[in-house]
């Protein structure tokens, strides 16, 4: 799922898609080229720069790999 989020961010930032909704029913991110919107149960929570979301997901993915290699 993390990789899907990274791919979605990159596809929108590159202009391949104008926007993508990523997440689950409880919480989701509406990804736009510059700024994305976080929603919780369909209600606005905050706006986050899309590039920051992508970087966060990449760092999280790297930490998961690191953890799995230690186990």
């Amino acid at each position: 799922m993390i990789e899907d989020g990274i791919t979605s961010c990159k596809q929108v930032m590159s202009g391949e898609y104008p926007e993508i909704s990523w997440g689950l029913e409880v919480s989701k991110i509406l990804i736009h080229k510059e700024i994305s919107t976080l929603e919780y149960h369909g209600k606005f929570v905050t706006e986050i720069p899309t590039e920051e979301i992508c970087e966060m997901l990449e760092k999280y993915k790297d930490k998961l790999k690191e953890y799995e290699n230690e186990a």
Side-chain angles (χ1 to χ4, degrees), residues 38-49:
L38 173 63
E39 291 185 353
Y40 182 72
H41 287 288
K43 295 183 181 179
F44 172 84
V45 175
T46 192
E47 290 183 335
I48 307 166

Side-chain angles (χ1 to χ4, degrees), residues 8 17 24 28-29 34 42 44 46 48-49 53 55 62 64:
S8 295
Y17 294 101
L24 304 171
K28 67 180 173 181
I29 299 174
E34 299 291 327
F44 172 84
T46 192
I48 307 166
I53 293 170
E55 289 171 3
D62 291 343
L64 284 176

Side-chain angles (χ1 to χ4, degrees), residues 1 12 14 17-18 20 24 27 50 56 67-68:
M1 180 129 183
V12 173
S14 73
Y17 294 101
I20 293 177
L24 304 171
S27 63
T50 303
M56 177 193 67
Y67 175 76
E68 288 171 355

Side-chain angles (χ1 to χ4, degrees), residues 9-69:
C9 286
K10 289 181 178 182
Q11 288 174 324
V12 173
M13 289 190 300
S14 73
E16 189 175 338
Y17 294 101
E19 67 178 43
I20 293 177
S21 177
W22 180 75
L24 304 171
E25 286 183 34
V26 174
S27 63
K28 67 180 173 181
I29 299 174
L30 303 173
I31 303 169
H32 298 273
K33 189 169 187 162
E34 299 291 327
I35 300 290
S36 295
T37 303
L38 173 63
E39 291 185 353
Y40 182 72
H41 287 288
K43 295 183 181 179
F44 172 84
V45 175
T46 192
E47 290 183 335
I48 307 166
T50 303
E51 189 172 341
E52 286 183 24
I53 293 170
C54 192
E55 289 171 3
M56 177 193 67
L57 291 172
E58 288 174 333
K59 288 178 183 178
Y60 184 66
K61 181 181 91 172
D62 291 343
K63 286 295 178 184
L64 284 176
K65 283 183 183 178
E66 189 179 302
Y67 175 76
E68 288 171 355
N69 289 334

